[in-house]
Amino acid sequence: MSEKEKMNQDGTEEKTKPAKADKAEKEKAKAKAEKEKKPGIGKRIGRFFRELRSELKKVSWPTRAETLKKTGIVIVCVIVVGIIVWIFDGIASSVIDALLSLFGH
């Protein structure tokens, strides 16, 4: 029996291919299958926009009143946080000025 032949459990001989050639054939077949499955750029772009449109139909859009109310809340929160930062900045500036006048030249 040669190196390329192998005995099965039932005593029959089986010829095997070298491992490298077998892997190369599988890779070629896989690459060919992937190339055939992948649609062209135009079809992919078209599918993207169809899916985008269907997803946008599922969106629950807020009413004008809800949008204005939430925008007003955001503006008020920004103003409040701005005032708080301004106060802390003034306090920090006063403390630094006091420390510099006390210990500075």
Side-chain angles (χ1 to χ4, degrees):
M1 182 156 77
S2 69
E3 292 178 4
K4 293 183 180 181
E5 294 177 354
K6 183 175 157 184
M7 294 293 284
N8 286 339
Q9 292 284 339
D10 58 0
T12 59
E13 293 182 0
E14 179 181 323
K15 293 185 179 181
T16 58
K17 296 180 182 179
K20 290 181 182 179
D22 197 27
K23 286 183 182 179
E25 288 177 19
K26 286 182 182 179
E27 288 178 16
K28 286 181 184 178
K30 186 178 178 182
K32 185 177 179 182
E34 286 181 16
K35 189 174 183 181
E36 290 175 357
K37 286 190 335 185
K38 191 173 184 180
I41 186 79
K43 287 185 178 183
R44 286 186 284 164
I45 291 173
R47 185 179 66 206
F48 170 78
F49 282 109
R50 280 193 305 276
E51 291 175 2
L52 176 71
R53 187 175 180 191
S54 69
E55 288 297 322
L56 287 176
K57 286 181 181 179
K58 297 175 187 177
V59 173
S60 173
W61 296 102
T63 63
R64 182 174 177 85
E66 290 173 334
T67 304
L68 291 174
K69 181 179 176 183
K70 291 178 183 180
T71 302
I73 291 170
V74 169
I75 290 172
V76 168
C77 288
V78 167
I79 290 171
V80 169
V81 170
I83 290 171
I84 291 171
V85 169
W86 178 62
I87 290 170
F88 281 120
D89 181 51
I91 292 170
S93 177
S94 298
V95 169
I96 291 173
D97 287 341
L99 289 174
L100 286 176
S101 66
L102 188 61
F103 297 109
H105 293 3

